[in-house]
Amino acid sequence: MLMLLPGLICDARIYAPQTAAFADAVAVDGYGMADSLVDMARIALARADVAGADRFDLFGHSMGGRVALEVYRLAPQRVRRLALVSTGVHPVGPNEPASRAALQAVGHEQGFAALVDHWLKPMVAPANREDPAIYPPMEAMCLAQGQAMFDAQIRALLGRPEVAGLVATITCPTLVMTGELDTWANPDQHRAIAELIPDAELVIVPGAGHMIQLEAPQAVNAAIARWRARPAD
């Protein structure tokens, strides 16, 4: 099984091109109102149990990459291969709580649509913001999640566990990938992550921003196919 973990205010729709391309793909359709990454990881493991998958290839995007690391912490023996995509392994920075609170305030004061507009556009490469096949469905997906879920997931991100030590223990075949134009989780950040993991494959997708699965589905799917072809114990 290929398990796909979505990021902040995303659901299974972010993985539509991947679930169409891989017959055994299961996209977790959000995390409900969970407000910790560990609880989100437990939801993912429960989803694998429902699917009858003792072991699985695990692909996490953005916040979902951090959830994937918590899945690996909880049950490393179940993770056959790991993909950390458009994500980070750094701790909470000194300015992060204030910047995230300012974004939340946009939603509380101006409405959730204003928050999504303010947050989502910089996540997408400029050319893709103008593509009616890419941006409007993505925007609708985010709007459907609502302010309360956004707030819960921000609490999860601000309460994230330390992962630097965990990353150094990863031994399964690992894909580290981001978009060339991702300003939120940039290529240099992913080069540093790949250097921490033995024999990790680094992929930088040309022309893509943060929402890489929908912005560059062919390139992402090709990287997934190569990663899944790597031998795993």
Side-chain angles (χ1 to χ4, degrees):
M1 185 179 81
L2 170 62
M3 178 177 286
L4 307 166
L5 302 180
L8 181 64
I9 57 168
C10 293
D11 59 28
R13 284 173 279 186
I14 194 73
Y15 287 114
Q18 288 69 52
T19 53
F22 298 95
D24 66 338
V26 173
V28 173
D29 199 23
Y31 311 99
M33 295 304 294
D35 64 356
S36 84
L37 297 180
V38 174
D39 286 346
M40 294 176 188
R42 292 190 177 112
I43 289 168
L45 285 166
R47 183 67 182 85
D49 292 341
V50 169
D54 182 55
R55 301 190 73 208
F56 43 84
D57 298 334
L58 185 61
F59 184 110
H61 172 255
S62 193
M63 181 187 74
R66 292 187 178 274
V67 176
L69 287 170
E70 295 309 312
V71 171
Y72 189 86
R73 194 196 307 267
L74 290 170
Q77 73 283 359
R78 299 187 67 178
V79 180
R80 189 169 47 214
R81 299 176 183 87
L82 179 65
L84 302 174
V85 181
S86 307
T87 193
V89 300
H90 52 280
V92 175
N95 299 321
E96 185 176 344
S99 64
R100 291 194 183 274
L103 184 57
Q104 288 175 275
V106 171
H108 288 288
E109 295 168 7
Q110 302 175 37
F112 191 60
L115 185 157
V116 169
D117 184 66
H118 185 81
W119 170 80
L120 182 59
K121 282 182 179 175
M123 295 281 182
V124 181
N128 294 328
R129 295 173 205 164
E130 307 304 320
D131 189 333
I134 295 176
Y135 195 85
M138 193 184 306
E139 183 181 39
M141 173 191 66
C142 293
L143 286 169
Q145 311 309 310
Q147 182 76 44
M149 184 177 293
F150 185 87
D151 291 346
Q153 293 182 354
I154 292 299
R155 288 195 297 274
L157 286 166
L158 291 177
R160 61 187 182 256
E162 180 275 333
V163 293
L166 175 67
V167 169
T169 71
I170 295 171
T171 57
C172 62
T174 302
L175 169 65
V176 178
M177 178 166 59
T178 196
E180 174 193 23
L181 303 179
D182 189 340
T183 58
W184 187 263
N186 63 59
D188 284 346
Q189 182 168 299
H190 287 72
R191 291 185 185 101
I193 294 171
E195 288 175 1
L196 297 172
I197 303 170
D199 201 28
E201 178 190 5
L202 174 68
V203 175
I204 308 298
V205 177
H210 190 71
M211 299 302 198
I212 190 169
Q213 312 94 304
L214 294 179
E215 293 187 65
Q218 291 182 334
V220 169
N221 289 355
I224 290 173
R226 289 194 307 273
W227 164 63
R228 298 193 78 196
R230 292 181 61 183
D233 291 337

